[in-house]
Amino acid sequence: MDLAQKTLRLEQKLGFDRIRAAISDKCSTSYAVDRVAGEAFTSHEKEIRRRLLLTDEMRLIMMFEESFPTAGYIDCLDFLKPLERQGVNLDLISLRKLKTMLETLRKVSSFFAGIKDGVYPNLKRMSSQVASFPEVQRKIDSILDRYGNVKDTASDALFDIRRSLKEKEGVISRRMSAILKKAQMEGLVDEDAAVSVRDGKMLIPVPAVNKRKLQGFVYDESATGKTAFIEPAEVVELDNEIKELQFAEQREILRILVEFSEFVRPFVPDLVAAASFLGEMDFLMAKAQYALEIIAGMPVISDNSEMNLRKARHPLLEKALRREGKQIVPTTVTLTGDKHILLISGPNAGGKSVCLKTVGLLQYMFQWGMLIPTSETSEMMIFDRVMVDIGDDQSLDNDLSTYSSFLVNMKEMMGEADSKTLVLIDEFGSGTEPAAGGAIAEALLAEMDRRGVYGVITTHYTNLKLYASGENGVINGAMLFDAKNISPMFKLEIGLPGNSFAFELARKMGLPEEIIKDAESRAGEEFVGIERNLRKIARNRKALDEKLERIKATDRTLENITDKYQKELQGIKQLKKEILDQAHAEAAEIIAGANRQVEKTIKDIKESQAEKEATKEARKELQDFMGLFAARKEQEQKEKDEYIERKIKQLDARKERQKERKERRADENQKAELARQQEEQAREDAFRNAPLKVGEKVRVKSNGMVGEVIRVSDKAIQVTIGNIVSKLSRDKVERITSNEYRSATKVADRHVTRIKVDASITERKLNFKTELDVRGERVNDALEKVTRFVDDAIMLNVNSVRIIHGKGTGALREEIQKFLRTNPGVASVADEHIQFGGTGVTIVTFD
C-alpha cells in the first residue's frame, strides 16, 4: 500500500474525507477544488499556524465584513496559461470571463487596501503582492459593453461594417416589401401573404401554380406542396452582400480578439498569479464558511507536550444530531507527558468510539490547517503521524481475518510509533480468544507506554484497565452510564475504569433472569466482583460528583451571600459609625443647650428673686426643651426602622432580578442558536441569489440540468448546457458550486446511452418544416396543430420555429402565445420583426 492509499484509508477511517468533500462543495472555482483535494496533513508548526491564521481571518471577514465580495470567483487559468504561447488567442467567452475576474480582483484589492494595518494582516499581505491591471480593464471596456457584447465602437472597421449591415438589411426589407406588393397586385401571391424567413433568408410564399411566374429561386415548399417559398432574383445579390458583411463582422471581431491577445500577452504571468490569488481566496472562503457552519475556532498550539481538548464536538455527528433536534455532549480530553495514553472503557454504544474518533478527526483537521469545533482555549500538540486501527479490515482477497488484520496494523504501528505519534485503536485486542488477545494487547500497550506514544484506546479487557491503574503513562477513562435507568450518558470521566454493564443491559433487553444468573456464575466470582466493584465505584463516583456539584453550588451561593452580607455589614458598620458620630455631636449640642437653658433659668429666678410665677415659667421652658429632644429621638428611630425595611425590600428585589436575568440568559442562548441557523441560511441564500456573472455555474430549476453562464443581461442570461446555448430568465436558474457542477456532469455522462434512431423519425426530420401556417383556423383546431408542431420540433431538437397566424383581431395570436408560454420545453415566445410580419407571426425558441 503506497502513501496515497494509506492517507486515503486514514481519512476514511477518521471521517476526514467527508470534511474535505463538504469544504470542496463550497468552492466556486476548479482551482479551489484542486486546493482542497491537494492540501495535505503537515507536521510543520509554521505552516500549520499560517494556514490556521489565514482561515481564521477569513472567518472573521465572513462574519463581520459585508463589503467583501463573495461572488465573481470564476476559472480563468485554463485559458490564461496557454495564452503565454505565441499563436494562442482568446475567444469571446474567455474575454468575458477575464472581465469578470478583473472586476472581482479590483473589489478584493480595494477591500484590503482600505483595511487598517494590523487587521487581517496575513490576508492583507497576500493581497499586497498581487498586481492591478487598470490598462487591461480599460482595453476590455473599450471592446465589450456591460452585457459582454462587442461594441460597435470596438474598431472603426467594425463600426462601418455594422452600419453597412443595417443599411443593407433596410434596403432588402424595403425591396422585398415592394416585390411582394407587386406580386399581390399581379395576382401571383395571396392578398394576406407576408414575407417569410427561413434559415435567415427572406422568402415570398407563392402558390405552387404561380411559382414559375415569379423570377427567383425556389428555396422551400410547404408540407402539402401547395405553397412554394421563393427568394426573388432581385434580392439574391443583396442577400449575398449581407452574408459577406456578416462574415466580415466575424473576421473583424476575430481580428480585435487577436489584437487584444497580443496586447495582454505581456501581462499573462501577472494575470495567472492574480487568478491563482482569487482561487486561493475562494479556497479560504470555503474553509471559513465550513468553520462557521460547525462553530469552529482556532486552538492554541501547545509548547509543553500536552494536549488539552476542551468541549470538543465531532462535527459530523453534531450535524446529524442537529437534524434530529438533539444536542451533542462535548468531550474534554487531556494527554500529558506523564499520562500520554487514555484507555477508555465502558458499555457498548456508550460513546467510546465517538470519543476516540473525535480526538483523531480534530487532530487531523488541525494539522490540515482547519479550524476545529472546540473551546478556543484548547491546546493541540503537533504529531509527525497519526496511526489508526478502527473498524474491521478483514479481507478475503488477502486472506486476512479480523484479528489478522489487527495484528498487521499493530506490526505497522510498532515499526513507526514514537513520542511524536498519535495512535487511535478501537476495541483493542478483540477478535480472538480473550485470554490470549488480552495478553497480547497488554504487551503492546506496555511497549507503547515505554516509547512515550500518545494515544486514545478503547477496550473491554479488565487486565488492560488494571494495567492503566498502575504507575505508568496510561490513564483510565470511563464512559459514564446511568445504572438506574440503564442508559448511557455519553460523558467521559478520566481517572476511572469503565464497566461494560453487560448483565444489566441483558436484563434491560429482557433476557431470562435464569440465563443471566447462570452467566454470572460462569463468569466467576472474581469477574463479577470486579464488575460489581466497578459499578459501585461508578455509583459512588456519580453520587460523589452530584454531592460535589451540590457543594460547589452551595459554596457559590454561600460566597454570594457572604459577599452580599459582607457588603451589608460594611455598610451597617459605616452607618453605625455615622450614627454614633452624629449622636455624639447631637448629645454635645443638647448638653450645651441644656446647660445654657439651666443657666438662663437660674439667672431668671435670681433676677426675679424667686417669684412663684417666674419660677413656674422657667420650669415650663425647660420641660418644653426636653420634650422637643424626646420627639427628635423618636423621629430618628422611625427613620432607622424605615431604612431597614427598605434594605429588606431591596434584597427581595435583587433576588427577583437575578431570577429574571437567569431566565433572560436562557432565552438569549435559544435566540443565539436560532440566529446562527438563520445566519447559515442567509449565507446560503446570499450565495444562491447574488447577481450572476460570466463563467459561473448554474442549475436549471425545472429539469436539474447544469451549465455555465456565458452572457448576462438585465432580463436574461445565456447558458451553455453541453453543446447547446440557451437563453433563460434569471429566476429559472440557481447558482451552484464547481463541485456540484462536476458531480452533475459526471452523473449525466454515466447515463448517456446510444439511441437507436427510428427510420420514421429520420424521415420526419427530413420532411419537417420550421414554419406553420394556421391562418383562418378555429382556435381549437389551431391549438391542436400548434401542439403537434411544437412536440415534433422538440423531439427533433429544432432550435426555433415560426407560427403564422395573421393579425386579424389578435385573438388567435393571444391564445397561441398563452399556450406556448405554458409549455416547459419553450424558452421564449416573441413577435416577429416588423419587417418580417410583426404581430402576425410568432417566433418560438426552445430550451
Side-chain angles (χ1 to χ4, degrees), residues 34-92:
D34 292 341
R35 285 283 288 114
V36 174
E39 193 84 309
F41 175 95
T42 180
S43 57
H44 298 290
E45 180 182 341
K46 188 176 179 181
E47 177 61 16
I48 293 171
R49 192 183 301 277
R50 185 189 71 84
R51 294 180 187 181
L52 290 174
L53 286 171
L54 287 172
T55 306
D56 195 47
E57 288 180 11
M58 184 58 77
R59 178 180 68 94
L60 295 174
I61 287 175
M62 301 294 287
M63 286 175 66
F64 302 117
E65 305 290 352
E66 294 182 359
S67 61
F68 185 80
T70 56
Y73 296 84
I74 59 173
D75 292 308
C76 293
L77 290 173
D78 54 343
F79 63 80
L80 282 175
K81 287 183 177 179
L83 194 60
E84 291 184 288
R85 301 192 301 272
Q86 288 293 331
V88 177
N89 300 305
L90 294 175
D91 58 21
L92 192 54

Side-chain angles (χ1 to χ4, degrees), residues 33 79 98-99 120 150 155 261 309 397 418 437 473 531 624 660 671-672 696 709 728 748 815 840:
V33 171
F79 63 80
L98 183 60
K99 177 183 174 70
Y120 317 129
V150 179
S155 73
S261 299
L309 268 177
D397 295 335
D418 56 19
E531 290 290 298
D624 290 344
E660 290 175 358
K671 289 177 182 177
E696 293 188 316
V709 178
L728 303 167
E815 290 299 323

Side-chain angles (χ1 to χ4, degrees), residues 579-590:
I579 290 171
L580 289 174
D581 291 344
Q582 185 179 356
H584 289 150
E586 288 177 354
E589 185 181 348
I590 289 167

Side-chain angles (χ1 to χ4, degrees), residues 577-715:
K577 183 177 182 299
E578 291 174 0
I579 290 171
L580 289 174
D581 291 344
Q582 185 179 356
H584 289 150
E586 288 177 354
E589 185 181 348
I590 289 167
I591 291 169
N595 288 335
R596 286 193 299 273
Q597 188 66 31
V598 170
E599 289 175 1
K600 181 176 180 298
T601 302
I602 292 170
K603 181 181 178 184
D604 290 342
I605 290 171
K606 284 181 179 180
E607 289 177 353
S608 62
Q609 297 179 352
E611 291 180 3
K612 186 177 180 180
E613 286 300 324
T615 303
K616 189 183 294 185
E617 183 67 26
R619 284 178 180 172
K620 184 177 182 298
E621 288 181 10
L622 184 59
Q623 287 171 355
D624 290 344
F625 178 79
M626 296 306 294
L628 181 62
F629 174 72
R632 186 185 302 169
K633 296 302 290 183
E634 183 180 351
Q635 179 64 28
E636 289 174 356
Q637 184 62 41
K638 182 180 178 182
E639 289 176 356
K640 289 176 186 177
D641 292 342
E642 289 175 352
Y643 171 78
I644 292 172
E645 188 176 347
R646 281 199 309 274
K647 294 299 291 183
I648 292 171
K649 288 181 179 179
Q650 287 174 359
L651 289 174
D652 291 339
R654 192 178 304 160
K655 288 180 182 177
E656 190 64 29
R657 285 197 300 274
Q658 286 175 347
K659 181 180 177 182
E660 290 175 358
R661 278 198 295 270
K662 187 175 181 181
E663 293 174 351
R664 190 162 58 249
R665 196 176 298 116
D667 291 340
E668 287 172 355
N669 290 339
Q670 186 176 2
K671 289 177 182 177
E673 175 62 19
L674 180 61
R676 186 190 63 76
Q677 294 174 359
Q678 290 173 344
E679 185 182 352
E680 287 182 8
Q681 186 62 43
R683 282 198 300 271
E684 180 69 17
D685 293 342
F687 171 74
R688 298 294 182 192
N689 300 327
L692 287 168
K693 296 189 177 182
V694 174
E696 293 188 316
K697 310 297 189 297
V698 294
R699 180 190 293 114
V700 181
K701 294 178 182 178
S702 60
N703 55 26
M705 298 180 71
V706 299
E708 181 179 327
V709 178
I710 62 170
R711 183 178 295 180
V712 180
S713 65
D714 283 340
K715 297 181 179 179

Side-chain angles (χ1 to χ4, degrees), residues 38 41 45 78 82 95 144 178 282 291 318 328 377 396 398 408 412 414 450 459 482 487 492 513 550 561 615 642 775:
F41 175 95
E45 180 182 341
D78 54 343
L95 184 59
L144 299 179
D282 184 30
E318 184 176 28
I328 196 169
T377 60
L396 295 177
N398 298 326
V408 169
E412 184 179 339
M414 291 299 100
R450 187 187 66 79
T459 188
D482 188 346
S487 62
L492 174 65
E513 183 63 27
R550 286 198 298 271
I561 293 173
T615 303
E642 289 175 352
R775 285 175 295 183

Side-chain angles (χ1 to χ4, degrees), residues 196-220:
S196 177
V197 177
R198 296 200 173 191
D199 299 331
K201 288 183 175 292
M202 299 179 69
L203 309 172
I204 294 178
V206 180
V209 295
N210 296 330
K211 64 182 179 182
R212 299 190 183 281
K213 297 179 182 178
L214 183 66
Q215 189 175 0
F217 302 96
V218 178
Y219 188 80
D220 201 356

Side-chain angles (χ1 to χ4, degrees), residues 502-515:
F503 298 129
E504 286 78 359
L505 288 170
R507 285 191 175 91
K508 182 182 180 182
M509 299 306 293
L511 207 62
E513 183 63 27
E514 59 271 16
I515 294 177

